[in-house]
């Protein structure tokens, strides 16, 4: 046979074999297990995994890293030169070798590079969708796989640390019971994400060549069930780090727990520094067991993602004073980590969110040398009255000069509870690309953390960020999106392109100066506006705010979406109508297109199509309709010339919009997705529906 002719994949059939030496890191062995499962699905035969190096065998896959001297020696004996991989950060190579290219080398410059080689092969040559669990994408079966001569070498070329923040993870948390109890005075989280669910999250992350994770919101490593999630991430080879309110792993909730167990109130860094240092030191020792895989978060924030001065009265009242205290806390935390770890070359970050961006822009923060300063997409969109996160960099990103003793990174949301997206996708890939390219152009590439929430709703955004941050220089958006559409929808790719375009055009939007892309009214914004109308109508009527969503921030029409003080609820409702009525018509047209295309979707892709488009569009249309109908009901109730049944009819429409949505999504939560929406506690659409029904009944 001609050596250049393709050969069947090595390692399939009765004698299939994958060699991975027992001295490789556990994360490499886990990747090999994934590879064996992929081969079994694609070719119908699971290879034998051998935890040692080949000697005289032929027809095999060899997986390993240059950090293993025995592996290096064996590869050199085959006449393979690995010098181009030496010293690379997470470099990887795929190479066939042998007289007839009958063997396959999957090699990394380090353990993560070895994993990337495995997953690159799985995706590019076996056809495995890295997001396949979340996209319901079963890999196509093949009779055989031809490789022929193969040589691919690559590495992540733009961002060094690339990862996910599992934040606002209400659906993941309650999807499967049994993960363990959470000890936290925070109504959204009652239990820990089940380890089996988290294992799927971690597998997806490494398949997308992510090397970093924040395992949960408000992780308390003192709780064994939560510590277990950190251990699972470390075993997968991921760096682990902390939420921006968890300096050294200590959220205010953890601080409360620590001192409650000791019979004392939580301390203040200003008024009781020694007890604060005791807490940080205790938690730093717990996290330090994971060695160099920990990236330490520095900072000083308050309870529940709020400024520290909202919980600590000892914090100064001036921006200068507040910045000085936070800066002092970060310096103290760095000293603690150095003492606990016995080293000074650890990696530390500080993430500038909300008040952090303002203090940074004003020049009131000082960071320890070597810290990675992380900018956030905290810019607010506004139409003069309504403000919400625009998924664009805050002003400090543009205004602050980068300092040579510091490094810089970014924190980006493809999902966010308060404003959305949360239950439905929405951040345009074009906006994501613009933001990532801005950061890369400024050299802010030491670190990127992406808020992915519950993953399933925002798979396209997740995939976009992963591709961009791997190598921004070679990324081409149109080619990337064409590949995505082809993988997910096959022959319908061109028509789905039009559907995506119409989807993005359906959102209501407001300016987000100075950025070119508007701030879109995602599902979170819509829910907050509707809640605001309900809340103020209840207050006008003198009714008690029994539902907890209505009690929250009872003084404002929406806790984070406050109209100008002079504005009446009637004016507020009219503003919303002008903004949302055209959007409702557009969402209805999107739904028409979704239903028209549905019969032509390949059977194996219908489940994903249904959730990705129909159910998510239903969320956005129903929420828009609900807000508008509530407003119409209020205006009719206030109009002396309107008939009483006009109010009732509008309230019926509002209740039906949410009721139909809840029924539709419940009907689709079947199979592995059974109970998917059980954890809807953040936006809590069932409670919003119940409040609307109550208003209709009591108003009658």
């Amino acid at each position: 046979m001609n050596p250049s002719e393709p050969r069947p994949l090595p390692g399939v059939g009765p004698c299939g074999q994958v060699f991975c030496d027992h001295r490789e890191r556990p994360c490499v062995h886990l990747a090999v297990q994934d590879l064996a499962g992929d081969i079994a699905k694609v070719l119908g035969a699971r290879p034998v995994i051998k935890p040692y190096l080949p000697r005289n065998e032929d027809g095999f896959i060899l997986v390993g890293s240059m950090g293993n001297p025995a592996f290096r020696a064996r590869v050199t004996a085959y006449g393979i030169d690995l010098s181009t991989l030496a010293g690379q950060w997470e470099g990887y190579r795929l190479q066939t070798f042998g007289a007839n290219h009958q063997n396959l080398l999957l090699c990394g410059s380090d353990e993560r590079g070895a994993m990337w080689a495995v997953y690159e092969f799985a995706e590019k040559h076996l056809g495995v969708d890295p997001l396949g669990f979340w996209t319901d994408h079963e890999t196509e079966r093949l009779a055989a796989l031809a490789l022929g001569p193969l040589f691919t070498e690559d590495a992540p070329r733009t961002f060094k640390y690339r990862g996910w923040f599992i934040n606002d993870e209400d659906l993941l948390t309650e999807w499967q019971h049994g993960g363990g109890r959470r000890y936290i005075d925070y109504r959204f989280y009652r239990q820990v994400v089940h380890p089996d669910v988290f294992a799927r999250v971690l597998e997806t992350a490494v398949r997308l060549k992510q090397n970093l994770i924040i395992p949960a919101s408000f992780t308390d490593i003192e709780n064994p069930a939560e510590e277990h999630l950190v251990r699972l991430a470390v075993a997968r080879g991921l760096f682990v780090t902390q939420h921006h309110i968890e300096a050294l792993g200590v959220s205010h909730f953890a601080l409360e727990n620590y001192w409650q167990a000791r019979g004392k109130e939580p301390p203040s860094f200003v008024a009781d520094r020694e007890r604060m240092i005791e807490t940080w030191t205790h938690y730093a020792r717990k996290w330090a067991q994971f060695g160099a895989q920990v990236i330490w978060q520095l900072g000083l924030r308050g309870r529940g993602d709020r400024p520290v001065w909202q919980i600590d009265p000892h914090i100064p009242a001036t921006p200068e004073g507040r910045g000085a205290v936070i800066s002092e806390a970060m310096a103290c935390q760095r000293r603690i980590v150095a003492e606990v770890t016995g080293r000074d070359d650890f990696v530390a970050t500080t993430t500038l969110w909300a008040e952090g961006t303002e203090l940074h822009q004003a020049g009131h923060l000082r960071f320890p040398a070597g810290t990675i300063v992380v900018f956030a997409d905290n810019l607010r969109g506004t139409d003069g009255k309504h403000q919400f996160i625009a998924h664009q960099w805050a002003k400090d990103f543009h205004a602050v000069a980068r300092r040579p003793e510091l490094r810089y990174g970014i924190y980006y949301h493809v999902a966010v509870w308060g404003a959305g997206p949360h239950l439905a996708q929405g951040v345009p890939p074009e906006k994501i690309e613009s933001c990532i390219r801005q950061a890369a152009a400024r050299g802010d590439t030491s670190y990127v953390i992406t808020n992915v929430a519950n993953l399933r709703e925002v798979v396209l955004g997740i995939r976009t960020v992963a591709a961009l941050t791997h190598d921004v220089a070679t990324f081409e958006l149109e080619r990337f999106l064409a590949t995505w559409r082809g993988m997910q929808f096959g022959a319908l790719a061109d028509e789905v392109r039009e559907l995506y375009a119409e989807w993005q055009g359906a959102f209501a939007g407001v300016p987000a100066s100075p950025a070119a892309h508007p701030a879109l009214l995602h599902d979170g914004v819509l829910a907050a506006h509707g809640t605001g109308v309900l809340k103020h109508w209840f207050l006008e009527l003198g009714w008690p705010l029994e539902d907890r969503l209505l009690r929250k921030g009872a003084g404002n029409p929406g806790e984070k979406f406050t109209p100008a003080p002079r504005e009446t609820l009637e004016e507020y409702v009219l503003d919303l109508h002008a903004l949302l009525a055209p959007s409702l018509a557009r969402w209805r047209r999107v739904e028409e297109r979704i239903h028209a295309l549905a019969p032509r979707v390949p059977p194996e892709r219908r489940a994903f199509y249904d959730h990705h488009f129909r159910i998510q569009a239903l969320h956005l249309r129903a929420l828009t309709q609900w807000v508008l109908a509530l407003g119409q009901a209020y205006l009719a109730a206030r109009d002396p010339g309107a008939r009483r049944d006009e109010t009732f009819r509008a309230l019926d429409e509002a209740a039906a919009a949410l009721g139909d949505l809840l029924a539709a999504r419940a009907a689709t939560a079947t199979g592995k997705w059974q109970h998917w929406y059980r954890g809807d506690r953040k936006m809590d659409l069932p409670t919003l529906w119940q409040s609307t029904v109550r208003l209709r009944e009591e108003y009658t």
Side-chain angles (χ1 to χ4, degrees), residues 597-619:
L597 280 178
R600 297 166 50 207
V601 175
E604 66 275 12
R605 302 306 299 136
R606 284 177 186 165
F608 175 64
Y609 181 90
D610 192 54
H611 178 264
H612 189 66
F613 286 126
R614 184 179 71 87
I615 294 298
Q616 294 193 33
L618 181 55
H619 274 87

Side-chain angles (χ1 to χ4, degrees), residues 567-589:
E567 186 179 39
T568 66
L569 182 55
E570 184 174 346
E571 292 169 335
Y572 178 64
V573 165
L574 289 170
D575 288 343
L576 286 176
H577 186 273
L579 194 60
L580 295 179
S583 177
L584 177 59
R586 295 193 294 268
W587 282 119
R588 284 176 168 148
R589 288 194 294 272

Side-chain angles (χ1 to χ4, degrees), residues 343-383:
R343 53 190 297 177
D344 197 47
D345 60 347
F346 57 87
V347 181
T349 68
T350 184
T351 303
L352 302 174
W353 180 251
E355 74 281 3
T357 66
E358 298 170 2
L359 292 172
H360 188 214
Q361 183 185 0
H364 299 318
L365 294 177
R366 297 291 178 268
F367 308 102
T371 301
I372 301 175
V373 178
V374 182
F375 296 103
D377 57 336
N378 195 35
L379 184 72
R380 301 286 164 154
T382 180
D383 61 357

